[in-house]
């Protein structure tokens, strides 16, 4: 039972982190304004550490995350993307890239669930799933590359200006 409760708390924390990310875009506010301004997850019984880590980590890596979204979302410029969908993608990609204890499939499933609840359009869940599927494929390719080439070989090839 404790595991199910923990899973639910993490889902709730993701939802809160999504809402914070959405709010900074809607209100055009600096990221710290919302979290430090009294929007506390403890007030509603959530583990604040996970929410804070997701929110602040996403904000810290926003340039890399947005670049990845732009590279993988066909026919959708980031500036024209619905804010809710963009916030969901940002959160999920942060988790996929930087939170090792959460499997990539869980991050994608949680993002699709958020899109079902908060997505800007009926097609938001499919769009979110498609973009995150492409990100997952890229991560898999990079992982396979690292497995097939020892780190020292990759480093020496980079130093010599060659590709692995």
């Amino acid at each position: 039972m404790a595991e199910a409760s923990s899973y639910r708390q993490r889902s709730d924390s993701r939802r809160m982190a999504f809402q914070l990310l959405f709010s900074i875009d809607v209100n055009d506010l600096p990221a710290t304004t919302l979290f430090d301004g009294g929007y506390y997850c403890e007030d509603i019984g959530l583990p604040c550490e996970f929410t804070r880590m997701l929110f602040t980590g996403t904000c810290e890596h926003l340039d890399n995350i947005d670049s990845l979204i732009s590279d993988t979302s066909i026919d959708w410029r980031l500036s024209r993307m619905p804010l809710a969908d963009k916030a969901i993608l940002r959160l999920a990609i942060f988790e996929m890239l930087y939170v090792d204890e959460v499997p990539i499939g869980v991050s994608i499933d949680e993002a699709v669930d958020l899109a079902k609840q908060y997505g800007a359009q009926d097609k938001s869940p499919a769009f979110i799933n498609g973009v995150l599927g492409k990100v997952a494929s890229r991560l898999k390719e990079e992982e396979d590359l690292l497995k097939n080439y020892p780190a020292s070989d990759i480093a020496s090839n980079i130093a010599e200006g060659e590709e692995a």
Side-chain angles (χ1 to χ4, degrees):
M1 279 297 185
E3 191 173 312
S5 175
S6 175
Y7 174 79
R8 185 81 217 132
Q9 285 181 336
R10 282 192 168 217
S11 292
D12 290 343
S13 291
R14 284 182 187 93
R15 181 180 36 79
M16 180 166 278
F18 153 74
Q19 291 170 346
L20 289 165
L21 290 167
F22 179 78
S23 293
I24 63 172
D25 271 351
V26 168
N27 298 306
D28 196 27
L29 294 171
T32 56
T33 301
L34 287 175
F35 220 102
D36 295 339
Y39 194 83
Y40 299 107
C41 41
E42 289 104 342
D43 294 342
I44 56 174
L46 291 177
C48 199
E49 316 78 51
F50 191 64
T51 302
R52 182 182 297 273
M53 182 271 298
L54 291 173
F55 175 68
T56 58
T58 301
C59 292
E60 288 170 10
H61 297 282
L62 210 50
D63 290 339
N64 287 343
I65 293 167
D66 283 353
S67 177
L68 193 51
I69 293 171
S70 294
D71 289 348
T72 53
S73 59
I74 298 172
D75 296 331
W76 275 98
R77 287 193 321 261
L78 199 60
S79 62
R80 297 200 62 225
M81 199 173 286
L83 295 179
D85 293 358
K86 186 168 37 173
I88 293 167
L89 286 170
R90 285 172 166 172
L91 176 63
I93 291 172
F94 168 75
E95 197 170 24
M96 292 167 73
L97 293 174
Y98 301 104
V99 185
D100 293 334
E101 75 258 15
V102 177
I104 288 175
V106 170
S107 298
I108 294 172
D109 288 346
E110 291 283 328
V112 170
D113 285 344
L114 283 171
K116 288 176 184 175
Q117 289 182 310
Y118 301 102
Q121 303 170 3
D122 289 341
K123 296 181 181 179
S124 290
F127 172 70
I128 299 289
N129 190 54
V131 172
L132 296 179
K134 289 179 186 174
V135 171
S137 292
R138 282 192 180 189
L139 293 174
K140 177 83 170 102
E141 288 171 10
E142 290 175 11
E143 184 181 299
D144 290 346
L145 180 65
L146 290 174
K147 285 180 184 175
N148 292 326
Y149 293 95
S152 59
D153 289 350
I154 294 172
S156 64
N157 287 342
I158 291 170
E160 295 171 11
E162 300 174 12
E163 291 188 25

